[in-house]
Amino acid sequence: MDEANPAGFVVILVHNQAVPLPSNPAERLATIFQRILASDRNNPTKHVIASILETSGDVSLARSLSYVFALPDKIVDALRSLELEEDDLQWHLGWLPPAQRALTDLWQFNAAIHNVQQHFSPTDLVNLESANRLLRREKFERRIEEAQLDSLGEKVRELHDALVAAADIPDDLKLFMLDQLDQIARALREFRIRGPEALTEALDSVVGAIYRVSSSRPGAVTPETRTWFQKLRTVVADLALVVGLGAAVLQLPANFHSAVNELSPATQVQSQVESTPSPPDPISDPAQPPIESPAS
């Protein structure tokens, strides 16, 4: 366990770089290779990569590297989705073979970073940048501004610290909420490698966990824990808005909303997302088509 972080919680990193956030997988990989090529050729590979990926500890580094290794395939899939002529596609993939060789040598942690640099030249980087420009022009991903991530990260950190110091919430519920905040914090940290996918995955996981707890423990929301559930729900709503799924948080289980709202004065329910009409429920709304059972 990290001595600087004895509780084992994810540390939220706030980025102050002037460059905009990458908006597609090609830009993410190009950013990584830019920093690799700019590194002192004699530096150990592990030191260089850990610095680029902003990781601490072998587990975190291995996790982040697994997402880096997945980037070439994501770029290929993204370019193929544009339905380019085969010649154009192959031209935009000229960087792929050297990138694959370079990424393979990233596992040689104790070797000098020169072993990686020798496989990927500035010309290869230019070719990768051409794929980036194409995907950026096609708006392959919805752009998320860094200010949005910083704001969400600050809210997660504030609630995390408040929960750690709180004495009015059972330990099991406190740990549950901290786990959800840790997932969001990790997604923020990994955004530069994974993009919106990391945030969407965290949103799905957190909403699912809330559904499980609210379904299996209907008495979890009490007058004492009400405020904490409201704060957690607000963070989840903010995450949904950043992802661009503002209504997604409304799909939290009805018993969670009703339990919190029943215990809450109307004047305290001020969430922006709560004011949005709920999506139609195909079970209770006859105008919606019935849900078909998957084929057995």
Side-chain angles (χ1 to χ4, degrees):
M1 186 172 292
D2 190 347
E3 294 181 359
N5 185 18
F9 298 122
V10 174
V11 177
I12 301 170
L13 300 176
V14 178
H15 305 279
N16 295 314
Q17 301 178 19
V19 295
L21 290 171
S23 60
N24 64 73
E27 190 169 6
R28 291 182 197 106
L29 188 60
T31 300
I32 292 171
F33 272 119
Q34 284 172 355
R35 295 188 60 182
I36 288 176
L37 294 178
S39 299
D40 186 315
R41 67 193 306 274
N42 296 315
N43 282 343
T45 296
K46 182 177 181 180
H47 172 77
V48 172
I49 297 305
S51 175
I52 292 174
L53 302 182
E54 299 179 340
T55 60
S56 59
D58 291 344
V59 173
S60 177
L61 178 58
R63 175 185 171 92
S64 295
L65 270 179
S66 70
Y67 294 125
V68 173
F69 294 149
L71 285 175
D73 285 343
K74 289 184 178 296
I75 298 169
V76 172
D77 291 343
L79 291 173
R80 289 192 183 280
S81 72
L82 301 181
E83 299 182 351
L84 302 172
E85 295 290 338
E86 187 61 26
D87 289 346
D88 290 340
L89 175 62
Q90 294 306 316
W91 187 85
H92 283 295
L93 291 177
W95 53 271
L96 183 57
Q100 291 172 326
R101 291 192 294 269
L103 291 176
T104 298
D105 276 357
L106 283 181
W107 282 119
Q108 299 182 27
F109 286 163
N110 295 326
I113 194 64
H114 171 65
N115 286 359
V116 178
Q117 293 171 332
Q118 67 181 348
H119 293 302
F120 199 82
S121 69
T123 300
D124 297 322
L125 182 59
V126 170
N127 291 335
L128 179 54
E129 286 287 2
S130 71
N132 165 36
R133 286 191 296 273
L134 177 60
L135 293 176
R136 191 165 50 193
R137 185 172 68 243
E138 296 293 330
K139 295 181 171 57
F140 179 73
E141 289 179 357
R142 174 179 174 272
R143 180 171 289 279
I144 295 177
E145 299 299 330
E146 189 155 11
Q148 295 175 279
L149 301 185
D150 289 344
S151 175
L152 178 59
E154 184 63 26
K155 292 175 182 177
V156 171
R157 181 173 20 235
E158 289 176 355
L159 182 53
H160 176 281
D161 292 346
L163 276 167
V164 170
D168 59 344
I169 181 172
D171 288 343
D172 58 339
L173 285 179
K174 176 188 291 191
L175 290 174
F176 166 76
M177 292 186 181
L178 289 173
D179 284 345
Q180 309 321 307
L181 294 175
D182 283 352
Q183 290 195 62
I184 300 173
R186 184 181 297 111
L188 291 170
R189 187 186 66 203
E190 294 176 347
F191 184 87
R192 287 182 181 273
I193 310 171
R194 304 181 60 198
E197 175 186 68
L199 302 180
T200 302
E201 182 181 286
L203 179 64
D204 290 346
S205 178
V206 171
V207 170
I210 293 175
Y211 181 91
R212 174 180 55 80
V213 168
S214 59
S215 298
S216 62
R217 297 186 56 179
V221 182
T222 67
E224 291 74 25
T225 62
R226 176 196 66 201
T227 299
W228 295 110
F229 273 106
Q230 287 178 319
K231 290 178 178 179
L232 177 60
R233 185 175 58 175
T234 298
V235 170
V236 175
D238 288 342
L239 172 59
L241 290 173
V242 170
V243 172
L245 301 173
V249 72
L250 295 173
Q251 298 174 25
L252 290 174
N255 56 336
F256 176 80
H257 284 295
S258 61
V260 174
N261 292 335
E262 182 178 336
L263 292 165
S264 308
T267 55
Q268 294 184 6
V269 184
Q270 298 175 346
S271 170
Q272 175 183 355
V273 178
E274 290 174 316
S275 65
T276 306
S278 299
D281 181 354
I283 296 178
S284 59
D285 186 352
Q288 299 296 315
I291 300 176
E292 296 182 1
S293 301
S296 57

